Amino acid sequence: NDILALHGIDDEWEWDSEGKTVMEGMAALSDWLKRHALALLSIDFGHDAYYMAIVTNDTTPQAIALGQSAGLNVLSFPDFAATQNA
């Protein structure tokens, strides 16, 4: 919510996690961010954990490219989610 405030967006993300998975939560957040011209990116450090970044839609391609050029596995959330269902 602080990230939204930085962009002048007066809205708060709320999610009821009861009985839901982490992937369901990240998908819900990703969908919610789209309404605010923001995107959720996955950064895979090879650990058994989820690392995410929130960026503006217009900087998404650059953020992914910069991460990949630094040797990181950076994916948009939809691309990341597809790898989790494989």
Side-chain angles (χ1 to χ4, degrees):
N1 294 325
D2 290 340
I3 292 171
L4 292 174
L6 289 173
H7 292 280
I9 299 169
D10 186 27
D11 197 1
E12 290 191 13
W13 182 65
E14 294 182 17
W15 184 63
D16 178 13
S17 63
E18 187 67 34
K20 298 181 182 119
T21 67
V22 172
M23 282 301 295
E24 289 172 322
M26 289 187 293
L29 176 59
S30 179
D31 289 343
W32 186 84
L33 288 169
K34 288 177 192 175
R35 296 193 309 255
H36 299 288
L38 298 169
L40 187 63
L41 303 182
S42 165
I43 307 167
D44 185 357
F45 291 103
H47 302 142
D48 187 21
Y50 297 112
Y51 297 94
M52 299 288 164
I54 297 173
V55 297
T56 59
N57 282 344
D58 61 334
T59 61
T60 296
Q62 182 181 15
I64 291 172
L66 286 171
Q68 290 175 346
S69 71
L72 300 173
N73 184 14
V74 180
L75 299 171
S76 68
F77 182 77
D79 290 343
F80 167 74
T83 69
Q84 301 303 297
N85 296 325

